[in-house]
Amino acid sequence: MIRTYEEAQTYLQWKQEAGIRFDLKRMGVLMEKLRHPERRVKTIHVAGTNGKGSTVTYLRSMLERAEFFIGTFMTPVFGDTREQIAINGTPIGEEEFAALLSEIEPGIQEAEAELGETISEFEVMTAAALYFFSFKKAVDLAIIETGMGGKNDATNVIVPLVSIITNVAEDHKEFLGDSISEIAREKAGIIKAGIPVITGSEGEALEVIKKEAGDRKSKVYSPGEQFSFHTDVKDGKQVLTYEAPYRKLDGIPLKMAGEHQAKNAALAVVAADYLKQFYALMVDDEQVIEGLKKAELPGRFERISESPVILLDTAHNPAAIETAVKTVNDMFQDKPDVLFAAMKDKDIQGMVEKLAPSANTIFYTDFLSPRALPADKYDGIAGGSEVKIVEHPEQWVSQWQKKNTDAVLLITGSHQFIGEMRKNLI
């Protein structure tokens, strides 16, 4: 029996040993044992390679300002695992989380006994979130972010009011597929029959999503068709203009910078409009605008120093890296120095190739994870250029600040790395 928060943490660490089962068999049995919490809460499902967390945050911020009680399940987050589960942006407390796991533990044990295998940490957290939003703190709506996939993701036991697929790029190839079309097909697995999907995907990925949606008789909302947006930088700040039939929102400032964030914000506005039109969730323009203006998420192009400028961004695949450095170039009309560290199972070569043309100097380091690539291993990846190694990144950043007054530093490469740097620098 789980009695304390420390015991809850130990319990989740033990569940990590289960590994990933890339289907819904375990979740199906677990939902039955927990009295089907996934059927008792209205949800929105958000998948995609990049931008999921930002899109969830924009949508939650708008709905919260319309005085709705909004649950969110986001993965990963900075801080403790329990913080993946939140209501109106406030994470579940330590005692409440321990009590939640204690309450669902008998159902987990029953499921494990029936299956003859261990329920994983992510499956436990998904089940805990759905149970919490259904039976413990009933919310008006829960916005559920997938882990890495779609069709076979543990969160795909829900039947949402609307689905969102932010974009599709190459990542997690060992699970999702070797091509954009394969990965798009996996992401499109969240589309349910007759339930629309909003997507920012383009090209080949969009065509796959349209086909999968068509097979399920689900409408697709995508930029340039059912809505449009554009973005500018004014006085160093990102602004969004959003337009749909009979509706236009002009010049909304966004705290999260970059063209990709404007797209994420636009997807969230489409979702809010859809909920208003078809489910009478009344969100007026003032609440939409205020929600977009206030929305922010740690580690998403987060500026932690003004002079010199130091930015943290959780880009961890080539597409996200390309977007991050382009945003720096566009906003500051300059090439940044980059402090980079990545997981060894990621496409590091691809990320470095995206960084090199748009960066001034790349400095390589590592962080406290068995999955982190050791800094001395970057020699064979940097394309023959000189590799500059940083052994103590926090101290190095402090020294860099003293030497540079007008330069820009981008710290990126891994979500966990950014989490560590953020904790130590802020």
Side-chain angles (χ1 to χ4, degrees):
M1 182 179 176
I2 298 168
R3 290 176 294 273
T4 67
Y5 181 60
E6 288 71 25
E7 289 175 352
Q9 290 177 304
T10 301
Y11 180 75
L12 288 175
Q13 288 170 359
W14 172 57
K15 293 298 180 186
Q16 292 175 4
E17 298 175 5
I20 296 172
R21 175 168 182 142
F22 212 51
D23 62 36
L24 296 176
K25 182 178 178 181
R26 294 196 297 218
M27 282 301 292
V29 174
L30 183 54
M31 290 296 96
E32 181 183 347
K33 302 303 180 185
L34 296 178
R35 296 178 290 141
H36 288 290
E38 81 284 8
R39 298 177 184 174
R40 297 170 180 263
V41 57
K42 294 182 176 69
T43 58
I44 295 173
H45 208 181
V46 182
T49 304
N50 300 308
K52 298 188 296 293
S54 300
T55 303
V56 170
T57 301
Y58 282 125
L59 185 54
R60 189 264 301 164
S61 184
M62 289 185 284
L63 295 174
E64 184 181 336
R65 273 152 188 82
E67 299 187 357
F68 291 107
F69 204 45
I70 304 299
T72 51
F73 178 59
M74 301 174 67
T75 62
V77 292
F78 295 131
D80 294 344
T81 303
R82 67 174 172 85
E83 295 182 45
Q84 294 175 358
I85 302 172
I87 294 178
N88 286 3
T90 301
I92 184 173
E94 292 184 0
E95 290 184 9
E96 198 168 28
F97 183 67
L100 174 63
L101 288 193
S102 179
E103 189 165 333
I104 68 173
E105 185 186 15
I108 295 170
Q109 290 177 342
E110 288 180 27
E112 290 175 335
E114 182 172 317
L115 291 161
E117 54 185 292
T118 303
I119 304 291
S120 73
E121 178 191 22
F122 185 66
E123 288 165 333
V124 169
M125 287 300 298
T126 300
L130 293 172
Y131 191 92
F132 186 64
F133 298 144
S134 298
F135 294 116
K136 306 307 293 181
K137 289 282 182 70
V139 295
D140 295 313
L141 191 69
I143 310 172
I144 307 296
E145 178 185 337
T146 63
M148 63 179 174
K151 177 182 177 181
N152 294 303
D153 192 84
T155 62
N156 204 29
V157 292
I158 63 175
V159 178
L161 303 181
V162 63
S163 301
I164 301 173
I165 302 174
T166 55
N167 58 22
V168 178
E170 292 184 351
D171 201 8
H172 301 295
K173 288 184 177 181
E174 67 275 27
F175 293 104
L176 305 183
D178 292 326
S179 68
I180 289 293
S181 60
E182 288 179 321
I183 297 169
R185 198 166 292 113
E186 177 63 33
K187 303 286 186 188
I190 70 166
I191 303 171
K192 304 299 191 299
I195 295 172
V197 58
I198 301 163
T199 184
S201 300
E202 301 172 351
E204 183 181 358
L206 178 58
E207 293 309 308
V208 171
I209 290 169
K210 283 182 174 180
K211 182 185 182 305
E212 296 293 318
D215 290 345
R216 297 170 177 81
K217 295 182 171 52
S218 299
K219 184 172 181 177
V220 178
Y221 294 81
S222 65
E225 297 186 20
Q226 292 74 23
F227 67 98
S228 63
F229 73 94
H230 71 264
T231 182
D232 298 297
V233 176
K234 293 183 179 178
D235 301 323
K237 293 184 178 180
Q238 194 84 19
V239 295
L240 167 73
T241 296
Y242 167 88
E243 193 164 3
Y246 315 111
R247 174 172 172 69
K248 184 175 182 180
L249 302 172
D250 196 16
I252 306 167
L254 304 176
K255 284 190 174 182
M256 294 188 280
E259 186 173 347
H260 60 302
Q261 292 295 3
K263 179 185 283 188
N264 295 334
L267 297 178
V269 176
V270 178
D273 283 354
Y274 178 83
L275 293 171
K276 181 177 181 178
Q277 182 175 355
F278 291 97
Y279 290 97
L281 267 73
M282 301 309 295
V283 188
D284 63 33
D285 283 0
E286 184 179 335
Q287 292 159 341
V288 167
I289 292 167
E290 192 66 18
L292 293 175
K293 286 169 62 176
K294 298 293 185 182
E296 57 185 330
L297 194 59
R300 271 58 166 191
F301 212 76
E302 182 180 11
R303 193 180 303 199
I304 62 169
S305 171
E306 291 291 342
S307 183
V309 172
I310 300 177
L311 302 160
L312 301 177
D313 195 83
T314 56
H316 59 277
N317 54 55
I321 288 287
E322 183 176 28
T323 298
V325 288
K326 181 182 183 300
T327 301
V328 176
N329 296 158
D330 289 348
M331 288 194 70
F332 300 100
Q333 304 298 305
D334 196 8
K335 290 185 175 183
D337 284 341
V338 176
L339 181 62
F340 181 83
M343 297 290 192
K344 58 189 174 186
D345 55 353
K346 294 292 184 178
D347 182 4
I348 298 174
Q349 183 78 52
M351 288 192 275
V352 172
E353 288 175 358
K354 295 296 185 184
L355 278 174
S358 301
N360 180 28
T361 305
I362 305 173
F363 299 88
Y364 299 92
T365 188
D366 52 28
F367 52 100
L368 294 173
S369 170
R371 289 176 57 205
L373 184 72
D376 60 7
K377 299 295 184 183
Y378 282 99
D379 265 325
I381 294 172
S385 60
E386 180 186 358
V387 173
K388 298 190 175 184
I389 302 297
V390 170
E391 292 186 358
H392 304 289
E394 292 87 3
Q395 295 175 19
W396 180 87
V397 170
S398 178
Q399 293 166 359
W400 184 92
Q401 278 183 287
K402 293 173 183 175
K403 294 177 183 177
N404 295 274
T405 54
D406 299 322
V408 178
L409 175 65
L410 173 65
I411 304 174
T412 191
S414 163
H415 194 283
Q416 184 172 331
F417 172 53
I418 295 304
E420 286 186 15
M421 293 299 292
R422 189 176 191 277
K423 180 179 179 181
N424 292 324
L425 293 175
I426 297 181

